[in-house]
Every structure is written in structure tokens, then in C-alpha cells.
Amino acid sequence: MEIVETDAVEALRHRHAELEAQLRAEYGRARPDDMALKRLKLEKLYVKERIDRLSVH
């Protein structure tokens, strides 16, 4: 079965990768900002859930 990826899912995957990069950068700081980490993790989870809902298998 072919997986069809819409433009919306592709955009969400791109955003998910951006958030992952921001998380790595924040963790790489000498003193990571706990609130920034929490916000990034929550947004990344939200994006992942949207990807899962929109993905067509």
C-alpha cells in the first residue's frame, strides 16, 4: 500500500524537524531554559499528533 503525503503533512514534518533542531540547540546551551524546553516539547508533541491524524496509510 502506498503512503500518500499531503502538503500539510509535509509542512508539519518540516516543522517537527525544526523543533527538534531547536531542542538540540537549547540542550546544548550551558544553562538550558526550562520554560523554552517545555514549550518546544509540547509543540513538537502537538505537531507529531497532527501528523499522525493527517497521515494516510
Side-chain angles (χ1 to χ4, degrees), residues 3-6 9 13 50-57:
I3 296 177
V4 178
E5 190 162 297
T6 65
V9 172
R13 289 188 192 283
R50 287 187 61 201
I51 291 169
D52 290 344
R53 274 188 264 123
L54 292 175
S55 293
V56 178
H57 298 277

Side-chain angles (χ1 to χ4, degrees), residues 19 37-47 49:
L19 291 165
L37 288 172
K38 182 176 182 176
R39 181 189 58 78
L40 290 167
K41 287 178 182 181
L42 285 173
E43 185 177 353
K44 186 178 166 194
L45 178 60
Y46 174 74
V47 169
E49 289 173 348

Side-chain angles (χ1 to χ4, degrees), residues 6-37:
T6 65
D7 290 340
V9 172
E10 187 177 323
L12 287 168
R13 289 188 192 283
H14 179 72
R15 180 64 182 144
H16 192 269
E18 288 175 342
L19 291 165
E20 180 62 32
Q22 290 176 0
L23 276 167
R24 282 194 307 268
E26 190 63 40
Y27 275 119
R29 292 176 35 158
R31 298 183 75 181
D33 181 336
D34 290 337
M35 290 302 292
L37 288 172

